[in-house]
Each structure stands twice: as C-alpha cells, then as structure tokens.
Amino acid sequence: MLGLERGLVKLEPYNDKWSKLFDEERELLSSQLKELIIAIEHVGSTSIVGLSAKPIIDIAIGVSSLDVIIELKEKVRALGYVEVPVVIDGKHVFAKYKEKKITHFLHVMIYNQNLWLDQISFRDYLRSNLDAKIEYIKLKEKLANKYPNNVISYTNEKKKFVDNILKRAKKL
C-alpha cells in the first residue's frame, strides 16, 4: 500500500488512504517541528484524488529561512528520515524508509518562494482540471512502462509537462 524501493517506478491507482497517511505524518511532524516551520502541505501525485502515483507520500515543508535546516535535520532524523542529496538550490529533501522502501519524502523549502509556489500551483491545477489530470495519468503510465527501473529518467521526461502546467497555472 505504501512504499517503493529506491530507483523503481511503479504506479498504483489512487488510494484514499494516502490522505489519511499524510494527515498522520503531518501531525507527527507538526508536533516535533512546530517552532521551525510555517506550513506543511501534501503535494505530489498522492495528493491528487484519482491520480495514479508511486506509493510515496510527498510532503512540502515551508520554512521562513534555510537557516533552520541544521536543527530541522536533527529533528527529522530522530523521526526516521535521512537526507537525500539533491541539486536544487533552496531545497532539502529527506526520505523515510520502512523495510527498505521509501514511504515518505519531505521537501523543505522557503515558504511562498518559487519552489514552494510551484509545488502548490501544480497540485492545485491538477486537482481542478480533469483534462490535465487525464493527460498526466497517460504520460505517467507511458513513462512508468518505459522506465520501470529508472526514476531519474521517468522524472526528467515529466519535466516538460510539469513546466507546461505551471505556465497554465500562472495565467489563472
């Protein structure tokens, strides 16, 4: 139901338990990080009703400044998260594992800056636009079949679609 081995691409039909699992993790994170964060949002495909997704809960955490990252790292490590090296300036990513499967990703970034706004805009656009959601489902399924063992290629080939959706969302 939840979790995928690192590097693999396997989509599952939307599961309404994903929302409940996010709520549980949000409560845990809020209780431990409340003085360091501004907001916690469910993002990624598991946050969009009806969308097939890799069964990993993506969580965006908004902070006022990345100056809190050292203290935040210690606290999320105590909750079972490990830092994932990323090459995106202004973003830190952490993964939580269960039985060698990634179950959650934390995306820590500055609240209401470009990275944050893009995550929320993409999610909200797909939540409200059925045609775009259907188009995205078809693309994800095609890429999952093409790259079942290569999450990097799968993600890179979705970039053009994501950028297009962000352009549409900014016009609203």
Side-chain angles (χ1 to χ4, degrees), residues 12-57:
E12 292 188 8
Y14 179 79
N15 187 329
D16 56 11
K17 291 181 181 165
W18 291 337
S19 177
K20 182 177 182 275
L21 292 166
F22 163 74
D23 289 339
E24 291 169 3
E25 199 68 12
R26 178 182 55 202
E27 290 302 314
L28 175 66
L29 292 164
S30 293
S31 71
Q32 299 301 309
L33 305 175
K34 59 184 167 256
E35 72 281 355
L36 299 174
I37 64 174
I38 296 173
I40 299 177
E41 292 280 341
H42 189 185
V43 295
S45 295
T46 61
S47 71
I48 302 164
V49 174
L51 193 62
S52 300
K54 296 187 314 272
I56 299 170
I57 307 297

Side-chain angles (χ1 to χ4, degrees), residues 41-45 47-49 51 116-137 160-172:
E41 292 280 341
H42 189 185
V43 295
S45 295
S47 71
I48 302 164
V49 174
L51 193 62
W116 176 272
L117 295 172
D118 285 352
Q119 291 255 320
I120 304 305
S121 296
F122 183 77
R123 176 200 67 193
D124 291 351
Y125 190 89
L126 288 182
R127 281 179 172 176
S128 64
N129 188 306
L130 182 59
D131 290 340
K133 187 187 320 187
I134 291 168
E135 189 180 348
Y136 194 43
I137 289 170
K160 184 177 177 185
F161 178 87
V162 171
D163 290 346
N164 188 328
I165 293 296
L166 290 172
K167 284 179 192 168
R168 291 189 224 171
K170 287 175 183 170
K171 289 179 183 176
L172 297 179

Side-chain angles (χ1 to χ4, degrees), residues 85-99:
V86 294
V87 292
I88 301 170
D89 283 342
K91 182 176 182 178
H92 290 265
V93 178
F94 301 87
K96 190 176 203 179
Y97 290 82
K98 183 176 183 181
E99 299 167 5

